[in-house]
Structures are given as C-alpha cells and as structure tokens.
Amino acid sequence: MPVAQPSPVTAASSDPSRWGRVDEEGTVYLRTADGERAVGSWQAGAPVEGLAHFARRFDDVLTEVELLVARLGAGGGDPKQTLTAARGLRGGLDEASIVGDVPGLAARLDELIGLAEQAVAAARTARDEQRAAAVARKEELASEAEALAQEATQWKQAGDRFTAILDEWRTIRGIDRKTDEQLWKRFSKAREAFNRRRGSHFADLDRQRGAARARKEELAVEAEKLAGSDDWAPTAARFRDLMAEWKAAGRAQKDTDDALWQRFRSAQDAFFARRSATFDERDAEFAANAEAKKALLAEAEKIDVSDPTAARAALRGFQERWEEIGKVPRDDIRPLEARMRAVEEKVREAGDRQWRRTDPEAEARVAQFRDRVAQFEAQAEKAEAAGDKRRAEQARSQAEQWREWLTTAEQAVQSR
C-alpha cells in the first residue's frame, strides 16, 4: 500500500487569529491568497469564541483527513471508499465554513486522493490477478474432473478426488458469475459422467459376480462328488482342471466366494488325503518287494554257468519268483531290472558258448580242411616218387595253405 508522509498541516485551534478574523458584526472571515472569504457568523458570545469555533471545525476536517490517510496506509478498509471520502472533502473544501490552513489541507487532500487512486488501481490489479488465478485454478480442476470422468478406473480414489475437488472449488472466490457458472457446468457434467461410468462398472461387476458364484457352485458340487473316487490318476487330473476353471471363473462376493472356496478345497483335500494314504500303503508294499527282489538277485547272481542246461533251469525258477514278488518303487525299477538282465545275459552267453563248441558245421569244416591237407601231402609224396619236383612243390604249397586254414578253424572252435 502507498505510504503518505507526516502531515505538514498545522491545527488551527492553536492560533485561530493566524488564519482568520471576526468583525464587529460577528462575521467570521478566512484569510486566503485572494483575500478574505466570509465563512460564517457568530452571535452567541465573544468574537474570539466564534473564531475558535470555526478553527475547531477546521481541525475536525483535518482529523478526518488524517484518519483516512492512516487507514489507507494501514491497508484497512476499501481504498475506493477512502478515495470517495477524500474527493468529497476536497470538493467542498473551497466553500467550507472553517478557519485554518485551507491551502495546506487542500494539498494534503490532493496527496490523499493520489494515494487512494494508486491503492484503488493496485486493488483492482490484485483483484484481476486473483480472479485470473481463481479462473485458472477452476479450469484446472474442471479439466482434471473431465479426465477422471473419461479415464479413471480406480473408483474409490477417483470418487475421493471428486469430493476433494468440490471442497476446494467452494473455497475459490472472486470470479464473475457468468464465468463461474460456465466452469461449474463443466465440473458438474464431468462428475455426472464419472458417476454414470462408476455405476455401470459396478452393475457389470455385480453381473460378473453372479455368474462367478453360479459357476463356482457347479465346480464345488463336482468336487464334492469326486472326493470319494478311487480312480486316482483321472480324478487328480480332473481336480487340476477344476482348479484352472475355478481361477478362470472370476470372483463372487467375498463372503460367498470364501464359503464356496471352503467347500471346493475341503472336497479336494479329502480326495488327495485318501490318495496319499493309499499311495503310502502301496509304497510300503513296493519297498518290501524291492528288498525281496534284491535278496533274490543276490541268489541269482551266484548261478553256476559251467553247466548251461542247469543254469537255464535255475534262471527260470528265479524268473518265476521274480514275477510273483510284484511291483517295486519307481526309483528301484531300472537298477533291479538291470541286475536281472545281467544274470539272464550271463546264462545266455554260457549256452551260446556251449552251442558254438558243439556246432556240427564247424566240426565238419575242420575235418574237411584236415582231409585237404592230407590229400595235398599225399600228392606231393607221389610226385616226388615219380621224380616230378615241380608238381611236388605245388602240392606241398597247397598243403601248407590248407594247413593254415585248418589251424584257424581249429582255433575258432577251441575259443567258443
């Protein structure tokens, strides 16, 4: 706010005669630069009292002016009212019935008027700025509301934000009525659009929850029917499918959903508890079978294969006992089967070796090679006796070749 300097105007009551006089007829005059001006008449007493009366009236006006100056400087009240009052006092000052430093008071009023005009202009600027800020803020709030109305999906947070926007909206002042109504229409329209979208969403959600409740009722009923099944693998697979369908069904109302889940889960737990008990019993039986097969293998691995026929007979007995024992745990199947196959392979190889050693065809080939050697040696001796060395050498060479083949054949038979 503009600040005025201390008043240079002196109170008139301290020396009224300095500013005016009273004639013999009681007329009171004010001295001015243009001469004297009659300001009133005093008949009620001594002339000096009349002059003092009009001086006090001057001081009253001066006091009023200084109060306006002080109020304006302190920022109290409306500067427009101060300006109006100052202009009123200034307009009547030239004809006022007062005695005192009227030119000084006029200058003081002119100063006050100038200060008040500045204050009025500053207040107008501040109001314009405040109005612009208020309009801008409400435009921001309206735009935010419109965005929420179109895009918001977090319904609780968005609803709380609309409430907060409305509370702030009501605190914003200083906007002209037309602009304020236009902005309010934007906000109100956005809030109504949001409420419609939210209502539609929750209506759809209620329908979805109803459908989810009906579907989960069906799944719970089926699970309860399956709880007593002994068809372990297909039923377990169906329970896995039911769980996937349960998750895909969506959520019903919380209390209903929790109750249905309890039914479904209880049925599922009952089935798998029964299956687990059955499997535990079976696993114990299989473990005992595994120990029995290990003991049987320990015997089978000691089969004497020097007599292949007896070994095969013994193996058949072990194989029959093996089948009678029954199933073993999954992890034991491969190691036990491998050991049994090793015993079977050992017996089979012993039989193969025996067969190769007694193979008639192999023996016939050895005899054939032996005969050919003897034949060529006889031819060599006969040729030598006849003196045919060339034929004798050829016969010995062929005999040697057949002897090598004979040796190889004999070795093959012996190695079986």
Side-chain angles (χ1 to χ4, degrees), residues 208-239:
Q208 293 171 7
R209 285 175 174 171
R213 179 190 57 77
R215 179 59 183 144
K216 287 186 173 181
E217 282 272 7
E218 296 174 356
L219 296 174
V221 169
E222 183 176 354
E224 288 167 345
K225 291 179 179 178
L226 292 173
S229 173
D230 293 334
D231 198 2
W232 306 117
T235 305
R238 181 54 187 156
F239 264 112

Side-chain angles (χ1 to χ4, degrees), residues 131 134-135 138-143 145-146 169 175-191:
R131 176 185 177 280
V135 170
K138 283 196 172 181
E139 286 179 341
E140 290 176 359
L141 294 176
S143 296
E146 289 166 344
W169 190 283
I175 303 177
D176 63 277
R177 184 173 181 178
K178 180 180 179 181
T179 303
D180 201 48
E181 288 179 350
Q182 291 174 345
L183 290 170
W184 173 253
K185 287 180 180 178
R186 285 180 59 189
F187 171 75
S188 181
K189 182 179 179 181
R191 184 173 59 170

